Amino acid sequence: MTVSDEELARAKHISVEQVVRLREVRGATNETLDGLSEASVHYALRRLEYPDMPTARGMFRMEQERGDDGRVPAHALGSALEQLWASLAVARPAPVTAGVPTSRADARGRAGPSPTAGMSLAAWEWLGPGNIGGRTRGIVIDPDDPERMWAASAGGGVWHTEDGGGEWQPVDDFLGNLACACIAMDPARPATLYVGTGEGFSNGDALRGNGLFATTDTVTWTPLPATRTPDFAFVSRIAVSSTGEVLLVATNSGVFRCADPGRATWTPVLTGLPVADVKFDPADDARAVAGSMRDGEAWFSRDGGLTWVAAGRGPWSGRVELAYAAADSDVVYASVEMTNGEIWRSTDGGETYEPRKTLDPEGRAAAYLAEQGWYDNVLWAGDPTDADLLLAGGVDLWRSTDGGDRLAEISTWWDRGSVHADQHAVVSHPGYDGVTNRTVFFGNDGGVFKAADLAQVGTEAQPPFVHGWTELVNNYGATQFYAGAGSTTTGKIIGGAQDNGTLCFDPARGTEDWREIFGGDGGWCAADPGDEKVFYGEYVFLNIHRNTDGGTTDDTRGDRYISGQFLNPVTGEWDWKPVPFRIPDAKNRQALFIAPFVLDPNNPERLLAGGRSLWVTDDAKKRNTTTSGPSWRSVKPSAGSPISALAVAPGDSDVIWAGHTDGLVFRTTEGTAATPAWDRVGVTGTRRLEPRRYCTSLTAHPDDTDIVYAAFGGYETGNLWVTRDGGVEWTDLSATLPAVPVRALVLHPRRPRLLYCGTEVGLFASEDEGATWSPTNEGPTNCSVDDLFWMDETLVCVTHGRGMFRIDLSGVP
């Protein structure tokens, strides 16, 4: 059924211009958009106001890693882990510190196989999400036992399944870098796997890598020392020759080649530009192709990757992904970013390319990459019987049966029965023959999915395209959370996740049934301690939303925003309420991508939100309409850089602390006044607050308003400090912590001498108020711990790559 722009505009009460923008930016057809509810169309329009979200995520995360000089040292994460392991070799910590088990890793950082990632350990309990997953950049399958698969997650390391995705487990809790961007199997020796770390695709939360890791038995993973150089900080693709002798690796520094069995010697063979993709001809190890990351370049090699020649092609731009046709390796396809995506084809093995029509079924340009082909761009031509059968992935997946002239959607990003949005990997079943076996696997921002029959999947007459898809996320716990909060009354927990929205865990439903209560990117969270039905979350740039049904339902209309934005019922467009019913810094995008807000622990009606200024509302639960709602006022003027951390003293709402991205920390003792006076702290005493980098966290002592802990980003020492006199004198508590960003800190609610610290390399605990620290990585492992919060005396650990964990510490004497 053909739906014109005008018809769709009338049906959804939007403009023709908005129809065109939705089609281009969401990588969809009019028919797909027609299947959306009107409320969901308007929610999609809301997201159009925030283009290049992956870029914004990346910049946000990068700011937290910079040192005082504004730089992130090469291989800083790996160096920090080595520092940690070296300290463990010198002095083994006690088995338990502050009630939590101490790290099992030895001096090399190895703990032996940990098939449940600490998920079934006696002390730690993994909460999931077991049904959400996370960004997956690569998949490999054992050709001798196709039930055995490995997946590379962007923040949670490599995962493995023995039953075709029925249940996943991490391969190594102490892998030296969990930011895995690609994975490859040696075709001649399937027990040999390689994983590349560090995402080079310019996405916002991309983490730096630490070169390549390898295993020859699928169990024991070790780093390849020769790749621990700045050239291998971002490894995008690994190609292994059919004999397993030669490796080609695409990095942000170019292509590197290794023919050394020990993988000790690497030669730069294509330099000058960042490279996104490199592949061997599956039928001839002498032939290979490569595509650039951002510059619209493609190359070919005829000597096994030793030398490279620029391919003949049209005026290309952006990222270039390539695929050999399994039916005829003279046919090579290119998916070229070019704003919305174009398919080109070579018939001479990648030496020259000609454009295909790249049209949707109605003859319009198929915008399959949706203006973000630099982030999600994948191509597959793996059918051995048909060189014209092609899959292209951007936001959704598209299939072509005529070599890229016409493409049709086979997945629908807005329907839960289909495949998650943002495609990164497509892999054939080892037995795929195009006739009796047409099974293909997919990696995307939601994890791993399967189409049991590529010819039949997504063949509905109209969207949503849900037929034939199987979600294989089961316990694939790679969700990247930023923050969380919980209700001690119901046990429900919410968390803000990268590209997976604000999610809710209900203990009655368990780890396999987390549900989304708000879409997009989630962020900071809060739970009303006196009202089990009220939760707060945020969309990007301080757009705070309120849930009043205990995390039961999803917000599809976007009418839960209490920071000022609303859907205008007259114009059908998003608009802003008048002052004082809006946060100006949210409207003007003056807040951080993930901006801090906190609920006053002494007054659940009082919410504080950090942008350039500090904003407060004293009626956070006021009825929300299109013209009114909670009223906001500024209680702290701009100090230049955005606010990045907030704390209100328990027991005294007048004492407020605010930290900024440039390291400045301020305090007021009259926070409930109309215009509080603020003092910058840490600049007058004999022991000053030294860091001039991102303040990641502020933690107020539960019993003493003069004590606060300040945490900072950067791969430097001195990232955790305490003051005991209201901010005059400061003490550095990081002497026994690794030189990594410290992201969160909490005190035991009954024994405040016990401290728990979340860092870029896991959780640490102290029994002496922070004078010494012991690693406690059994549960969260060495994944980034972005947030910590209490539910009575149970500590909940929020990770950026391994979901959430909790541990009952009520038994601490």
Side-chain angles (χ1 to χ4, degrees):
M1 179 184 67
T2 303
V3 181
S4 70
D5 292 354
E6 292 74 17
E7 289 171 329
L8 185 57
R10 286 193 298 270
K12 304 302 181 184
H13 300 98
I14 60 178
S15 68
V16 171
E17 291 76 14
Q18 288 174 317
V19 168
V20 174
R21 285 294 293 149
L22 276 175
R23 189 170 63 240
E24 293 178 346
V25 175
R26 295 306 298 168
T29 61
N30 283 8
E31 291 66 40
T32 297
L33 297 173
D34 188 47
L36 276 168
S37 67
E38 186 176 334
S40 295
V41 167
H42 287 295
Y43 186 69
L45 286 172
R46 166 80 175 92
R47 297 194 70 184
L48 293 187
E49 299 181 23
Y50 298 91
D52 293 340
M53 300 292 277
T55 298
R57 289 189 209 115
M59 294 303 297
F60 168 71
R61 201 76 180 179
M62 179 71 74
E63 285 302 310
Q64 298 170 56
E65 298 176 350
R66 298 185 191 276
D68 287 339
D69 60 0
R71 298 185 299 120
V72 181
H75 296 288
L77 181 58
S79 298
L81 285 169
E82 289 181 357
Q83 174 193 351
L84 169 62
W85 298 333
S87 68
L88 290 175
V90 173
R92 296 293 297 172
V96 174
T97 302
V100 288
T102 300
S103 171
R104 295 162 294 143
D106 63 20
R108 298 181 307 280
R110 291 240 6 112
S114 180
T116 53
M119 296 176 191
S120 63
L121 295 175
W124 284 101
E125 178 187 4
W126 184 65
L127 297 178
N131 62 314
I132 302 296
R135 187 163 67 254
T136 301
R137 287 286 187 184
I139 303 169
V140 293
I141 306 172
D142 187 336
D144 300 321
D145 182 0
E147 294 291 290
R148 304 182 73 219
M149 303 165 57
W150 291 262
S153 73
V158 179
W159 291 69
H160 174 53
T161 177
E162 294 275 355
D163 57 5
E167 183 174 0
W168 293 85
Q169 300 156 354
V171 300
D172 190 339
D173 284 348
F174 297 92
L175 193 69
N177 191 293
L178 299 180
C180 298
C182 54
I183 188 168
M185 177 180 284
D186 184 335
R189 289 166 285 275
T192 296
L193 306 177
Y194 302 93
V195 64
T197 60
E199 289 184 284
F201 301 97
S202 301
N203 45 299
D205 60 341
L207 304 176
R208 282 177 177 255
N210 195 32
L212 275 71
F213 293 77
T215 177
T216 57
D217 59 9
T218 74
V219 175
T220 305
W221 292 76
T222 57
L224 300 182
T227 64
R228 288 207 59 216
T229 72
D231 287 330
F232 293 85
F234 298 99
V235 179
S236 301
R237 200 64 46 83
I238 303 169
V240 189
S241 65
S242 63
T243 62
E245 295 178 4
V246 179
L247 262 63
L248 297 175
V249 174
T251 79
N252 273 21
S253 299
V255 175
F256 291 79
R257 184 180 189 272
C258 180
D260 168 15
R263 305 306 179 201
T265 303
W266 293 81
T267 303
V269 291
L270 180 60
T271 59
L273 291 174
V275 178
D277 192 17
V278 63
K279 289 183 171 72
F280 273 109
D281 181 335
D284 185 351
D285 285 352
R287 304 206 305 178
V289 291
S292 69
M293 183 70 72
R294 292 184 282 273
D295 301 279
E297 299 284 350
W299 303 269
F300 67 92
S301 174
R302 294 293 179 261
D303 55 11
L306 285 168
T307 60
W308 295 84
V309 179
R313 77 253 181 319
W316 288 0
S317 64
R319 178 177 162 188
V320 178
E321 284 289 308
L322 302 166
Y324 281 99
D328 180 357
S329 61
D330 280 336
V331 176
V332 181
Y333 289 98
S335 172
V336 187
E337 185 181 333
M338 302 285 283
T339 304
N340 295 116
E342 292 184 8
I343 301 296
W344 289 62
R345 184 171 68 179
S346 169
T347 58
D348 54 15
E351 294 188 18
T352 61
Y353 292 85
E354 296 294 332
R356 305 301 286 171
K357 294 178 181 178
T358 320
L359 300 177
D360 71 13
E362 306 308 323
R364 293 180 291 254
Y368 68 95
L369 290 183
E371 295 189 1
Q372 56 183 60
W374 50 271
Y375 172 65
D376 41 29
N377 186 346
V378 67
L379 204 55
W380 175 93
D383 193 307
T385 68
D386 188 352
D388 286 333
L389 180 57
L390 183 68
L391 292 179
V395 173
D396 276 323
L397 287 159
W398 299 61
R399 177 174 51 214
S400 174
T401 58
D402 59 7
D405 277 341
R406 288 187 181 265
L407 294 89
E409 292 171 285
I410 60 172
S411 71
T412 306
W413 54 268
W414 50 261
D415 195 286
R416 293 186 185 278
S418 190
V419 174
H420 195 283
D422 299 321
Q423 313 306 318
H424 305 298
V426 184
V427 177
S428 308
H429 186 283
Y432 185 107
D433 59 14
V435 182
T436 61
N437 184 322
R438 294 190 292 247
T439 301
V440 182
F441 298 87
F442 303 84
N444 51 48
D445 271 15
V448 181
F449 292 74
K450 180 178 79 171
D453 187 342
L454 185 58
Q456 297 299 318
V457 70
T459 53
E460 293 93 329
Q462 61 185 30
F465 302 113
V466 299
H467 174 69
W469 293 111
T470 303
E471 171 244 285
L472 300 180
V473 174
N474 314 302
N475 275 358
Y476 183 56
T479 308
Q480 295 171 290
F481 282 110
Y482 292 111
S487 167
T488 56
T489 304
T490 64
K492 291 183 177 180
I493 292 172
I494 68 167
Q498 179 266 313
D499 204 36
N500 279 296
T502 300
L503 306 173
C504 181
F505 165 75
D506 185 339
R509 296 195 301 261
T511 61
E512 281 288 313
D513 197 10
W514 284 64
R515 298 185 183 178
E516 183 179 288
I517 61 174
F518 208 90
D521 282 277
W524 287 53
C525 300
D528 188 318
D531 189 339
E532 64 193 47
K533 293 187 177 299
V534 177
F535 290 105
Y536 298 90
E538 69 172 338
Y539 186 46
V540 297
F541 303 115
L542 202 60
N543 282 279
I544 300 172
H545 49 82
R546 182 183 65 200
N547 177 281
T548 58
D549 62 14
T552 302
T553 61
D554 187 7
D555 176 37
T556 57
R557 296 194 61 88
D559 58 0
R560 292 176 177 170
Y561 285 112
I562 60 170
S563 51
Q565 196 162 45
F566 72 99
L567 184 63
N568 191 313
V570 177
T571 66
E573 297 186 358
W574 287 92
D575 206 345
W576 288 85
K577 300 175 189 179
V579 172
F581 305 115
R582 72 176 184 225
I583 300 177
D585 285 352
K587 179 178 184 296
N588 300 324
R589 300 189 199 177
Q590 294 295 301
L592 291 170
F593 179 74
I594 303 296
F597 73 87
V598 296
L599 196 63
D600 186 333
N602 316 297
N603 180 2
E605 295 282 351
R606 182 174 165 85
L607 202 63
L608 297 94
R612 287 280 175 178
S613 303
L614 178 60
W615 302 89
V616 65
T617 179
D618 293 318
D619 52 6
K621 291 194 282 188
K622 183 179 178 181
R623 181 172 177 267
N624 198 35
T625 73
T626 58
T627 57
S628 64
S631 57
W632 297 88
R633 68 182 190 281
S634 173
V635 294
K636 179 182 181 297
S638 171
S641 66
I643 293 173
S644 53
L646 290 168
V648 180
D652 191 345
S653 298
D654 278 322
V655 179
I656 304 172
W657 301 78
H660 292 254
T661 58
D662 60 2
L664 303 188
V665 178
F666 294 83
R667 179 181 188 249
T668 183
T669 58
E670 46 192 40
T672 59
T675 55
W678 292 81
D679 296 315
R680 180 183 163 192
V681 300
V683 293
T684 60
T686 57
R687 299 193 307 276
R688 302 186 180 188
L689 191 60
E690 297 176 359
R692 292 296 174 264
R693 51 190 180 272
Y694 198 111
C695 181
T696 54
S697 172
L698 292 166
T699 304
H701 194 283
D703 305 320
D704 190 333
T705 59
D706 281 337
I707 299 178
V708 76
Y709 296 83
F712 297 87
Y715 286 93
E716 299 192 13
T717 58
N719 279 338
L720 183 62
W721 297 71
V722 65
T723 179
R724 304 184 187 281
D725 58 6
V728 179
E729 303 290 342
W730 291 80
T731 301
D732 181 0
L733 299 179
S734 66
T736 59
L737 288 172
V740 295
V742 173
R743 300 191 178 278
L745 182 130
V746 293
L747 290 68
H748 193 286
R750 179 169 43 83
R751 291 194 58 198
R753 284 181 57 85
L754 307 183
L755 274 55
Y756 307 86
C757 175
T759 78
E760 191 72 23
V761 294
L763 183 71
F764 293 76
S766 173
E767 296 181 343
D768 51 17
E769 296 182 295
T772 59
W773 296 90
S774 290
T776 60
N777 304 46
E778 268 202 356
T781 73
N782 63 334
C783 185
S784 177
V785 175
D786 279 30
D787 194 18
L788 298 164
F789 63 91
W790 293 99
M791 297 180 70
D792 292 326
E793 292 190 17
T794 292
L795 178 64
V796 181
C797 182
V798 180
T799 79
H800 197 73
R802 286 287 182 91
M804 292 194 194
F805 295 79
R806 68 182 173 194
I807 185 170
D808 184 356
L809 296 177
S810 61
V812 174

